[in-house]
Amino acid sequence: MYNKLVRDRIPEIIEKDGKKPVISRIRDKKTLKEMLVSKLKEEVEEYCLSLELTELADILEVIRALVHNIHNIKFSDVEKLREEKERERGGFNEGIILEKVVDD
């Protein structure tokens, strides 16, 4: 028993393997949000264990689904927010570690 969110074509792939998938569809936004957040955690954990680029692609796909289905915006809108934050606060490219802040 899996009871987990899978990519849209997974049932078709299972059928091509000669097996019969038993599926249901999420009908409400609250459940979809919960399942997407759970899937995001799963994919992040898989990436942390493997450091495989394919896992980053899976993370991105879940994020795209959250952006589209939960936040009802375009992915480009999220990219604009990311760019704005990078301009204001920088990125994570220089490997800076904040060890402490000394109050004078």
Side-chain angles (χ1 to χ4, degrees), residues 28-39 70:
D28 65 281
K29 212 168 203 171
K30 180 179 183 271
T31 303
L32 180 58
K33 178 182 169 187
E34 290 169 358
M35 295 299 284
L36 283 168
V37 168
S38 177
K39 186 58 135 181
I70 304 305

Side-chain angles (χ1 to χ4, degrees), residues 14 87 92:
I14 291 169
R87 276 192 304 278
F92 295 98

Side-chain angles (χ1 to χ4, degrees), residues 2 10-23:
Y2 291 101
I10 295 300
E12 174 187 332
I13 293 167
I14 291 169
E15 287 174 350
K16 283 183 180 179
D17 282 345
K19 298 174 185 171
K20 182 178 168 129
V22 177
I23 65 168

